[in-house]
Every structure is written in C-alpha cells, then in structure tokens.
Amino acid sequence: MYHSKISGLGYYVPENVVTNDDLSKIMDTNDAWIQERTGIKERRHVVRGEDTTTSMGVKAAEIAIQRANIAKEDIDFVIFATLSPDYYFPGPGVLVQRDLGLRTVGALDVRNQCSGFVYALSIADQYIKTGMYKNILIIGSEVHSTGLDMTDRGRGVSVIFGDGAGAAVLSREEDVTKGILSTHLHSEGQHAEELALIAPGMGKRWITDVIADNDPNDESYYPYMNGQFVFKNAVVRFSEVINEGLQANNLQVSDINMLVPHQANLRISQFIQQKFQLSDDQVYNNIMNYGNTTAASIPIALTEAWEKGKIKSGDLVVLAAFGSGFTWGSAIIRW
Ligand code: UT7
C-alpha cells in the first residue's frame, strides 16, 4: 500500500469584488449585520460571460498541476466537487478533461456540497493507496452568485455565499508516515431539506409541473437554509469528526499544526477554535474575503495558508467540513 500526498495546490477567484455595502444597495441588509453574524466583509461574484464553475476550476487546476511539477499527461483521474455545475448534466469533470486537454482519463463528479472537497480527497486517496492511480486532480469550484435570490426575501442566504475555485493534485507517496493519514466521512439525510436547492429535480415535482405552473414566485430554484439549525449541527459535527480523525491516528489536539475548516461562518470556526483551545496560528480562516464558497472553500483556504508559509513539511494539517445533506468529514494529513 502507498500513501497519497498533496503535491500541488492552486486557487482562482473572479476579480469582481462585492462588498457588504454593495449588497445593501440591492437588498435590505447592512455591513454590521453581515460581519457580526458571519465575519464576511466581501466576496467575489463572476461577471456574465467570463467565469463558470468549470473555467474557474480549470484555472485553479493549471496552477496546481504546475506546482505538482507534473505534465497534464501525468494526470490519471479527475474528481470535481460542486453544487453549481455548468450543466445539469454532464457534470464538470468531463469538461475539465476536455478543456485541460487531458488524456481520456476517468472523470468523476462529487455531489456533497460543503463537504465535497473532503469527499473528493478521500476517494482520490483510496485510488492512490491501492496503486491504481499515481496522480489525481481534485477540484472544488462554485458559482453561487448567478443562482441566489438577490432580493430581501433571500438575504439570509445570499449574503453568505461567494464564487471561486480551488484545486489539488494528489500523488503517490512511498513514505507511509507522510501524506493523507486518514479520512472520515458521514451523512445524515434526515436533514436533507434543511439546506437544499429543490429544483431542478426529478423527484415529487417534475420539470413539466414547474413549466406548467410558470410561477414567478416559485422559490424552489433558490437555495433554502434553516440557518440556526444548520449552525447548531455544524458545531457538533465539526468537533466530532475532528476528534474522530485524531483518535484514529492516536493523535492529540495539541498535535495539530493547522486546522483548515470549511469556511461556513467565521463564528463556527471561532467556536471550534475555542472548543479545541487552538491559537490563531493554528486555524486558517479567509471567509472575510471570499464568503462561503462551499466545495471550493477548503482548497482555496489550504492553498492560501500554504502560499503564506503557514504549512511546512512535517506539519499535522486537519481539514474538516460540514454542510448540506447533511454531510460532514475530516482529513488528517502529515505534510
Ligand atoms: O456551508 C454550509 C453550512 N452553512 C452554515 O453553516 C450556515 C449556518 N448558519 C449561519 O451561519 C447563520 O444561521 C446565519 C448567518 C445564516 C444567520 O444568522 P442567524 O443569527 O441565525 O440569523 P437569523 O436567520 O436567525 O436571523 C436573525 C434576524 C432575522 O430578523 P428578525 O426575525 O429577528 O427580525 C432575520 O430576518 O436577522 C434577519 N436577517 C438579516 N438582517 C440583515 C437575516 N438575514 C439578514 C441579512 N441582513 N442578510
């Protein structure tokens, strides 16, 4: 058995910065509320005709591949995590295979929302451990802004989410004391509708019903979130899954050099930091600048932390995520 390691990281965010004050001009919100409840100061929104979930993912991937010091021909598999694909089908995995000019390698789409990147990392890790693949490209990318309800009605959700992409190359590591030590994945579908976008779906409400109704007040195409309920579950599950990962490796909280939590809400990250008694240097947050970018948030934050020299060889890095599904997970990495 081999281990897998992160050999390259990259991220891309659209240039268009949208501040809280910008949002307060189009809906009944304000900078003080947003910062107090979420810590967010600004986020990026795509400009029509410029970026898509796939194109941002490709840009992040190009940086990650270059930093991994491999050629595109060396990529054996692609895993793309998103809740905001360019098309309903096919998913963005094959679009990346095309747009990056990769060999006809397999391309898998992951539908696990905020936990998408951790799920993708876990899948890639298993393929590398068994020796099936040597280099796997993982992408988390989201365009939220084009699908949000930017009216007073949607303010509880739309101020939180932002657009962006992050990517990692996972490569074979011969030294089994290094790389991904373990990953831990969970779900609780009982709460599926507490954070969801119901349409377009092929479930109880058919596309033909939606078209026949032609209802301008149909909210099923906008994301719904029971914010307080999600918040309460998030803090519990984040803590559980971090502990689970540490225990599986006989590690203590004091062994953590860097925790990169999914950037859901700065208050959630701060709650976890306080609970585990970690210092500011041991937790990386950038939600202030990008909002919640769902599957992209961990790879963007991880890349930034690495670029700033906050992650060094030998460090214990913990990734943790929670979100729609509910799904949650962690990854314990010896850098
Ligand atoms: O990444 C996926 C996982 N997602 C999360 O982890 C999100 C978890 N939840 C949260 O982060 C928080 O619940 C929110 C930030 C979404 C909301 O904060 P909250 O403290 O739970 O606020 P609330 O929804 O209970 O709303 C409080 C008040 C309400 O007004 P009233 O009823 O007290 O008069 C809302 O209408 O704030 C109002 N409100 C706003 N006011 C100004 C809601 N959204 C806004 C807004 N601006 N954007």
Side-chain angles (χ1 to χ4, degrees), residues 29 33 37-38 114 155-156 160 227-228 230 262 264-265 268 292:
T29 190
W33 190 96
R37 307 279 173 137
T38 71
C114 304
R155 66 180 181 169
I160 294 167
Q228 292 195 1
V230 174
H262 159 55
N265 181 326
I268 294 177
N292 177 341

Side-chain angles (χ1 to χ4, degrees), residues 6-39:
I6 293 177
S7 56
L9 284 165
Y11 79 93
Y12 171 84
V13 289
E15 276 176 27
N16 179 31
V17 176
V18 177
T19 65
N20 295 342
D21 286 339
D22 292 333
L23 292 179
S24 70
K25 288 176 193 136
I26 54 172
M27 66 182 82
D28 182 14
T29 190
N30 57 78
D31 179 56
W33 190 96
I34 300 172
Q35 285 213 49
E36 189 194 319
R37 307 279 173 137
T38 71

Side-chain angles (χ1 to χ4, degrees), residues 306-320:
W306 175 79
E307 284 176 353
K308 289 179 180 173
K310 290 176 181 288
I311 299 174
K312 296 174 203 70
S313 179
D315 278 359
L316 188 76
V317 178
V318 176
L319 312 181

Side-chain angles (χ1 to χ4, degrees), residues 13-325:
V13 289
E15 276 176 27
N16 179 31
V17 176
V18 177
T19 65
N20 295 342
D21 286 339
D22 292 333
L23 292 179
S24 70
K25 288 176 193 136
I26 54 172
M27 66 182 82
D28 182 14
T29 190
N30 57 78
D31 179 56
W33 190 96
I34 300 172
Q35 285 213 49
E36 189 194 319
R37 307 279 173 137
T38 71
I40 299 166
K41 294 180 179 169
E42 57 189 39
R43 74 288 291 141
R44 306 297 176 98
H45 283 179
V46 295
V47 172
R48 190 184 284 274
E50 288 183 9
D51 291 308
T52 69
T53 293
T54 300
S55 74
M56 292 196 300
V58 165
K59 286 175 187 163
E62 280 170 336
I63 299 167
I65 292 168
Q66 195 216 332
R67 286 174 172 168
N69 211 14
I70 59 169
K72 284 191 263 187
E73 294 69 36
D74 298 325
I75 299 289
D76 300 314
F77 195 61
V78 177
I79 309 180
F80 202 122
T82 188
L83 62 68
S84 50
D86 293 15
Y87 306 139
Y88 188 77
F89 75 84
V94 297
L95 304 181
V96 166
Q97 183 276 330
R98 178 189 67 191
D99 294 350
L100 268 179
L102 303 180
R103 292 182 289 117
T104 57
V105 297
L108 177 71
D109 299 298
V110 167
R111 295 288 310 271
N112 289 80
Q113 297 68 248
C114 304
S115 313
F117 188 79
V118 174
Y119 268 75
L121 192 80
S122 179
I123 297 165
D125 181 42
Q126 310 316 309
Y127 276 127
I128 288 177
K129 268 189 183 142
T130 59
M132 183 162 170
Y133 295 132
K134 257 186 169 171
N135 296 298
I136 300 182
L137 173 62
I138 316 167
I139 299 170
S141 179
E142 305 285 3
V143 172
H144 284 295
S145 59
T146 60
L148 295 170
D149 181 357
M150 290 291 187
T151 68
D152 294 355
R153 185 181 62 185
R155 66 180 181 169
V157 173
S158 41
V159 300
I160 294 167
F161 294 98
D163 304 339
V169 174
L170 226 66
S171 301
R172 181 184 288 182
E173 167 65 64
E174 310 270 346
D175 179 353
V176 294
T177 64
K178 282 190 160 178
I180 316 287
L181 303 183
S182 64
T183 54
H184 307 268
L185 307 177
H186 294 277
S187 71
E188 191 175 25
Q190 187 190 342
H191 303 308
E193 286 80 16
E194 301 293 350
L195 176 47
L197 196 155
I198 301 300
M202 308 300 168
K204 290 181 192 145
R205 196 142 173 271
W206 295 8
I207 295 277
T208 44
D209 297 338
V210 175
I211 293 168
D213 290 352
N214 194 23
D215 176 4
N217 295 316
D218 181 358
E219 291 177 46
S220 61
Y221 279 88
Y222 293 121
Y224 166 79
M225 178 165 70
N226 182 349
Q228 292 195 1
F229 185 73
V230 174
F231 193 110
K232 283 178 196 151
N233 278 267
V235 291
V236 173
R237 297 309 192 184
F238 265 111
S239 306
E240 277 178 12
V241 83
I242 293 167
N243 275 326
E244 181 185 347
L246 292 174
Q247 279 162 19
N249 295 285
N250 292 318
L251 293 163
Q252 315 294 322
V253 170
S254 54
D255 294 318
I256 298 176
N257 296 103
M258 180 58 77
L259 169 66
V260 181
H262 159 55
Q263 302 291 292
N265 181 326
L266 190 62
R267 308 299 160 228
I268 294 177
S269 294
Q270 287 169 335
F271 182 94
I272 303 301
Q273 176 175 346
Q274 215 171 9
K275 183 165 180 191
F276 286 95
Q277 298 198 309
L278 297 168
S279 69
D280 288 351
D281 283 345
Q282 289 170 290
V283 184
Y284 191 79
N285 289 306
N286 62 4
I287 190 169
M288 306 72 88
N289 305 325
Y290 304 122
N292 177 341
T293 58
T294 322
S297 93
I298 288 182
I300 294 175
L302 187 62
T303 306
E304 270 196 0
W306 175 79
E307 284 176 353
K308 289 179 180 173
K310 290 176 181 288
I311 299 174
K312 296 174 203 70
S313 179
D315 278 359
L316 188 76
V317 178
V318 176
L319 312 181
F322 174 88
S324 163

